[in-house]
């Protein structure tokens, strides 16, 4: 999300004030107390890096800040001494390999005032990798559905929804989820996350996850009976696809 201090609405003003009070003002005060800032210090940029594993955040000032600033397509940046305004900026993203899975709050002084960008979605890099693989299983399950390959549909649908469940948990920096996981740990964390859900879609995806998890062994190893009809498999497929699309939008992954 982004906002700028030249905005007059209460929301933008509150966001700027809260971010400064939470992250930047304490760091500036700390450095001044320790004589780590020059007497003529002027704030031009500030950044807080937020770690998904609970480590304390770090704060950077001025030339310590590192981001990619994406300008809008028709912006003429070839002008001499070009300095963009907030209207020229399309997006601000972290650009260092060590921090691609972190959240951030970044403030940059532009021509018309400070531009504030923040992203509290964690583990975006690892989530996009998982989403790409989940889509492969999803597309395979759709092929199996179209050809009435019920056993293959169940196995691939479970693989897809399990990866999506993991993405869901990682994006929230769920403390019960780590990068190295098992079937049991994902199932336990996902069920815990949505055990008291009231939104129908959240209820549906939890039930489908458990249904597929219980049926997967029978489908893969022919141990037990498979009792899925056409309407149920079609509903499962639609729910998993919706889950995939919503998670792609959430972490900024191109699902087209």
């Amino acid at each position: 999300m982004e906002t700028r201090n030249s905005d007059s609405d209460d929301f933008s003003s509150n966001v700027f004030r809260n971010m400064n009070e939470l992250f930047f003002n304490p760091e500036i005060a700390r450095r001044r107390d320790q004589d780590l800032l020059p007497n003529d210090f002027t704030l031009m940029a500030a950044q807080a890096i937020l770690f998904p594993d609970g480590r304390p955040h770090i704060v950077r000032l001025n030339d310590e800040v590192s981001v990619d600033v994406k300008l809008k397509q028709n912006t003429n940046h070839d002008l001499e001494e070009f300095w963009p305004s907030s209207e020229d900026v399309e997006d601000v993203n972290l650009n260092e390999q060590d921090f691609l899975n972190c959240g951030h709050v970044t403030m940059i002084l532009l021509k018309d005032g400070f531009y504030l960008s923040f992203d509290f979605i964690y583990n975006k890099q690892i989530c996009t990798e998982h989403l790409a693989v989940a889509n492969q299983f999803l597309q395979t399950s759709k092929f199996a559905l179209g050809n009435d390959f019920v056993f293959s549909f169940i196995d691939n649908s479970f693989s897809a929804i399990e990866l999506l469940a993991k993405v869901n948990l990682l994006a929230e920096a769920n403390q019960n989820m780590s990068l190295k996981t098992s079937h049991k740990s994902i199932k336990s964390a996902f069920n815990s996350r949505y055990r008291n859900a009231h939104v129908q879609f959240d209820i549906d995806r939890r039930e489908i996850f458990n249904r597929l998890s219980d049926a997967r062994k029978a489908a893969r190893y022919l141990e037990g009976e498979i009792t899925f009809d056409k309407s149920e498999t079609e509903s499962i497929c639609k729910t998993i696809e919706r889950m995939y699309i919503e998670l792609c939008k959430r972490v900024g992954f191109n699902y087209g």
Side-chain angles (χ1 to χ4, degrees):
M1 186 172 181
E2 63 209 32
T3 186
R4 51 197 171 101
N5 69 346
S6 55
D7 290 343
S8 59
D9 61 274
D10 291 338
F11 173 77
S12 295
S13 298
N14 287 335
V15 169
F16 266 93
R17 182 174 60 255
N18 291 339
M19 295 302 178
N20 274 283
E21 290 177 354
L22 183 61
F23 297 112
F24 306 137
N25 291 342
E27 179 64 12
I28 292 171
R30 183 189 71 82
R31 295 195 192 192
R32 280 186 171 143
D33 289 343
Q34 299 180 17
D35 293 325
L36 298 175
L37 292 177
N39 293 332
D40 60 349
F41 172 78
T42 300
L43 186 65
M44 302 292 291
Q47 182 178 63
I49 305 292
L50 314 173
F51 295 95
D53 57 6
R55 279 179 288 166
H57 65 267
I58 60 175
V59 177
R60 296 161 151 182
L61 302 176
N62 288 357
D63 57 359
E64 301 167 358
V65 173
S66 179
V67 286
D68 280 337
V69 178
K70 183 179 180 181
L71 299 177
K72 293 179 181 177
Q73 188 171 3
N74 296 324
T75 302
N76 184 3
H77 52 79
D78 295 326
L79 298 174
E80 186 176 353
E81 299 182 357
F82 172 75
W83 189 14
S85 68
S86 57
E87 298 299 328
D88 298 323
V89 177
E90 181 174 322
D91 205 358
V92 174
N93 293 301
L94 295 176
N95 60 358
E96 296 166 281
Q97 193 65 37
D98 290 344
F99 300 135
L100 293 182
N101 288 311
C102 294
H104 76 100
V105 179
T106 302
M107 187 168 68
I108 305 172
L109 182 60
L110 299 179
K111 185 187 297 184
D112 56 345
F114 277 104
Y115 180 97
L116 181 69
S117 175
F118 53 93
D119 188 343
F120 298 137
I121 301 297
Y122 293 99
N123 295 306
K124 291 180 79 170
Q125 180 72 9
I126 192 67
C127 283
T128 59
E129 294 169 0
H130 280 60
L131 285 168
V133 178
N135 188 42
Q136 293 183 24
F137 285 115
L138 175 58
Q139 296 307 317
T140 304
S141 70
K142 290 167 71 174
F143 175 83
L145 178 63
N147 288 274
D148 293 324
F149 299 158
V150 178
F151 289 78
S152 179
F153 171 79
I154 293 170
D155 196 21
N156 282 280
S157 294
F158 172 74
S159 295
I161 199 170
E162 184 182 52
L163 282 168
L164 295 175
K166 184 176 179 180
V167 168
N168 195 131
L169 296 164
L170 287 171
E172 296 175 345
N174 188 297
Q175 295 305 305
N176 295 319
M177 187 57 41
S178 64
L179 298 183
K180 294 183 179 181
T181 49
S182 64
H183 296 305
K184 183 178 179 179
S185 62
I186 297 173
K187 184 177 182 179
S188 175
F190 193 68
N191 274 295
S192 178
R193 169 66 178 84
Y194 289 105
R195 180 166 290 117
N196 299 315
H198 299 289
V199 177
Q200 189 59 49
F201 175 62
D202 293 338
I203 296 171
D204 290 345
R205 58 180 169 175
R206 177 173 178 259
E207 290 179 349
I208 288 172
F209 181 95
N210 291 317
R211 173 86 162 115
L212 291 171
S213 177
D214 293 341
R216 176 176 175 269
K217 190 173 183 180
R220 173 169 282 196
Y221 304 112
L222 305 183
E223 298 179 4
E225 185 180 1
I226 296 295
T227 56
F228 286 72
D229 59 31
K230 187 71 171 179
S231 62
E232 183 180 10
T233 54
E234 289 176 347
S235 177
I236 287 172
C237 190
K238 289 178 181 178
T239 300
I240 295 176
E241 186 164 36
R242 177 182 171 186
M243 189 175 176
Y244 169 72
I245 291 172
E246 290 192 1
L247 285 168
C248 284
K249 290 178 178 179
R250 183 174 182 180
V251 304
F253 181 67
N254 183 10
Y255 60 89

